[in-house]
Amino acid sequence: MKKSGYPESLQESLANVEKTRSERLKEAKKQKYFPKLSPDEYREVLEKYHPDYKPEERKPLQVGPNKGDMLQPELLAVLQGRPWLEPGSFEARLKSPDLSTDVLVIGGGGAGSAAALLAAENGADVLMVTKLRHGDANTVMAEGGIQAADLPYDSPYFHFLDVIGGGHFTNDKKLVRALVTDGPLVIKWLEDLGMMFDKEPDGTMKELKGGGLCRRRMHSSADMTGSEIMRVLRDEVRNREDKIRVLEFCAAIELLLDEDGAIGGAVFYNLDTEEYIVVKARAVILATGGSGRLHLHGYATTNHYGATGDGLALAYRLGVPLKNMKYAQFHPTGAVFPEQCVGMLITEKVRTLGGEPVNYHGERFCYPLEPRDVEASLFIRECLERGNGVVTPTGRVGIWLDSPMIDMLHGEGTVAKALAGKYLQFKRYGIDIAKEPMLIFPTLHYQNGGLEINEYGETKVPGLFAAGEVAGGVHGDNRLMGNSLLDTNVFGRRAGAKAAEFAKQRQEVKTLTLKHIEKYLKELEAAGIEPEIQSPVVLPDYRHQEVVEG
Amino acid sequence: MAEQEYTIGEKTIVLEGTKKIPIYIMGKRYEVLEGLTIMKALEFAGYQIKRGCGCRAGICGACATVYRLKDDYRLRFGLACQTTVEPEMYLTQIPFVPANKTTYNMDEITPDVSTIEKLYPETFRCLACNTCTKACPMEIPVMDYIQALMRGDIAKAAELSHSCIMCGMCSMRCPAEIQHFHVAMLARRLYGKYVQPKAEHLAKRVEQIKAGKFDWMLDELESLSDEELRQRYKDREWEPEPYDPAWKPQDTKYLILE
């Protein structure tokens, strides 16, 4: 018997995949795939199979500017949660802030770091406060790439169309325009900062397509694109210690307004000493990231430990509206085997390089690069409705992602090089993904929507900005691959520059207050809501109950 | 739909009859389920992790863990989120790595050995003992890239260290007190900025954008009705996959071909 990383129970299906591979390979070389759906067919597939299109699992939000929106219970608990602070007893602490700054950046991921750099460049003193380490963010986990229309046969025009079509025409056009226009500027900025891009010997960017892209536009740094961006940005932030202070392991638990209703700072909880820290600031940028760790519908997630939607809760209490929060993104390809890797992201780059999804029988059943929500829905249909999924020893279901095709299409060694991170991860569990496929199923990946901002990252609260995954509207109801790394950089930079300008022009910050909490608590009471949890969540709690007998 | 038949959630599923095995977390004995990662075993044992947990997917470097196995003198290294527990494992997580990142202005340094000598002089104390390489959970040939840097081979060091997650285990083990993960960061940035050739098409596109050459296209898109926008989306001309160098678009109205 040949060496396999998979147990006996999966061998029959693996043999099916191998049997059909040479035929599928021939087709792929001729650019023949399972046919794409037409955009008109998307809606039907989504409504029937997408985990977030089911109306029965939703309830109305009962307070705040989005009152009446039907949201997932996990999100409602956070948005209608119990604040950490008692406004009455804490108010006195606000008179003596522990720290003060021009621009306070909350969050130390891609958006926060880009914002800090641009705020500093525009003359502001910056304090970056982050809940975990600087760089702990979904940014490091983005594998496949970053989009920007910089090749001759591409233009921001096509990037715009791809973004807005992928988002089902629910995007904010001004934000899309900012995204696609700044795209090449961001790539150039990163290149000048010394980011290692995958390039041809003459310097031309090696660019690939991704789901829903009509042109090649995806820049990469092996399969560690986000990690490389984060490393470079963090290193540069640390080079600017004259202008940027960084405070780690302090979680934002409340925003502060001044008595005129403009932003005034924030209160943090030091996770090490368990003490509060009051920060006074002339401008605040929320770059707290996403919310995958809320596990909508109980789904596994690709997200970072800290992705608990804190920024949404903080800003919503101040009256900042939410946009496009209806549908979260379920990434089509999350690992379901081995059990230790469940939920882990398998980059879309596997499919852009030619690794195609096939079912139990080794058959093609969908176009490999539909927009993510459509692709995920088609995988779910194949497993749950058509019964063509592969069942793991622990009772999970998935389909194969045929990564061995990649070396056959592009030459031996491509997988080990272009997908170095993933190759090593599976190797640890005895699976050689250059020779055997991966078993995958959709996993909760991205927030899609978030706080309402304009093209400068401004929210409706004067002096409060938001950038990155915490903000909404850029991607509409569905984000395309490679646009989140771009989003964090584009809107991080824009918010940083604008916040510096705001801070410079601002008069003194008036007396800090927590009146908004009093108002919010009254609203909850009037709606008859007894908060289920303390919010923001800060860290997910996986003690004991993570393991269930199956 | 037969959804109930399968599990789709985050929770680890353990088959009936799975054994519990003893592990020692900072010297305390806990019985945990076989097959868990160290991280999930910590949580199973009752720890709410603050430091020592990040992406939970092997890419952020937060959860470096050192351990010994029973009756084995060897000190082992792994990422808690990627390493499966073994019976009688003695382990601790490393919450923080004390190391000094030097600061520099990328515009004022050169991609050669003098920069390394100036910013991280301890690099040249390397004893070639290879302890760093053995400590790397990413299987990077750490010593090889240090040796490359000593020769001034920035490109080699950048390429060899590309999958570094900066967990710092190399620098915790080094008898010469080298700060590998920081000097490698410097090498990669020097390589990306000065050694790799610049993308000319990118510089050109930046100029075109700054000159406002795409503005009319975007104005047009912003002014379209939803209906017209949907039509444009449907009508997009599709570049073939996989990459075909011979392909030329039919419709060049919305391109700038100079």
Side-chain angles (χ1 to χ4, degrees), chain A residues 76-91:
Chain A
L76 290 176
V78 166
L79 294 171
Q80 300 178 154
R82 184 175 62 252
W84 285 51
L85 302 175
E86 288 273 344
S89 60
F90 201 83
E91 198 96 36

Side-chain angles (χ1 to χ4, degrees), chain A residues 54-65:
Chain A
K54 290 191 198 110
E56 65 268 23
E57 286 169 23
R58 289 164 182 270
K59 284 186 188 141
L61 183 56
Q62 303 205 40
V63 294

Side-chain angles (χ1 to χ4, degrees), chain B residues 42-233:
Chain B
L42 285 164
E43 287 166 340
F44 182 77
Y47 284 79
Q48 167 81 57
I49 309 174
K50 288 180 187 167
R51 288 177 180 261
C53 179
C55 70
R56 303 172 76 96
I59 194 71
C60 80
C63 66
T65 302
V66 295
Y67 61 96
R68 277 192 164 92
L69 299 175
K70 191 176 162 62
D71 299 329
D72 187 346
Y73 66 86
R74 263 169 295 196
L75 190 62
R76 294 164 193 265
F77 302 83
L79 300 174
C81 70
Q82 300 287 305
T83 310
T84 309
V85 286
E86 293 178 57
E88 313 263 350
M89 195 179 222
Y90 255 75
L91 65 90
T92 187
Q93 287 200 293
I94 305 296
F96 181 76
V97 172
N100 296 323
K101 186 199 119 55
T102 55
T103 59
Y104 35 84
N105 182 337
M106 283 301 292
D107 294 327
E108 291 169 0
I109 54 179
T110 50
D112 54 40
V113 77
S114 70
T115 301
I116 309 298
E117 280 169 342
K118 200 170 131 234
L119 295 173
Y120 291 103
E122 71 278 10
T123 306
F124 298 85
R125 300 178 62 202
C126 178
L127 305 164
C129 68
N130 212 27
T131 309
C132 49
T133 302
K134 288 187 210 158
C136 180
M138 297 301 283
E139 302 182 14
I140 293 169
V142 184
M143 186 189 78
D144 296 359
Y145 80 63
I146 292 293
Q147 295 283 329
L149 283 176
M150 290 165 74
R151 297 191 303 268
D153 191 343
I154 303 290
K156 179 113 184 159
E159 276 158 12
L160 287 179
S161 71
H162 185 268
S163 55
C164 175
I165 57 175
M166 304 185 78
C167 69
M169 288 307 97
C170 45
S171 305
M172 292 293 271
R173 289 291 283 157
C174 179
E177 295 153 312
I178 294 170
Q179 308 185 81
H180 316 66
F181 64 111
H182 283 318
V183 72
M185 181 76 239
L186 171 63
R188 287 191 301 274
R189 290 190 66 184
L190 286 170
Y191 179 72
K193 187 172 175 71
Y194 294 111
V195 183
Q196 272 190 307
K198 295 271 178 193
E200 281 172 34
H201 60 96
L202 173 64
K204 203 172 190 182
R205 180 55 45 90
V206 166
E207 273 171 39
Q208 293 165 343
I209 288 172
K210 287 190 172 159
K213 292 195 175 172
F214 295 99
D215 290 356
W216 69 269
M217 302 179 196
L218 297 164
D219 290 342
E220 188 179 304
L221 286 172
E222 272 197 73
S223 71
L224 292 180
S225 73
D226 250 28
E227 214 41 53
E228 291 167 311
L229 211 49
R230 277 170 203 273
Q231 199 54 48
R232 295 273 178 110
Y233 180 66

Side-chain angles (χ1 to χ4, degrees), chain A residues 20-32:
Chain A
T20 60
R21 189 177 290 137
S22 60
E23 196 52 40
R24 287 185 285 108
L25 208 59
K26 268 189 222 155
E27 297 272 296
K29 281 181 182 160
K30 284 184 267 174
Q31 294 163 7
K32 279 193 194 143

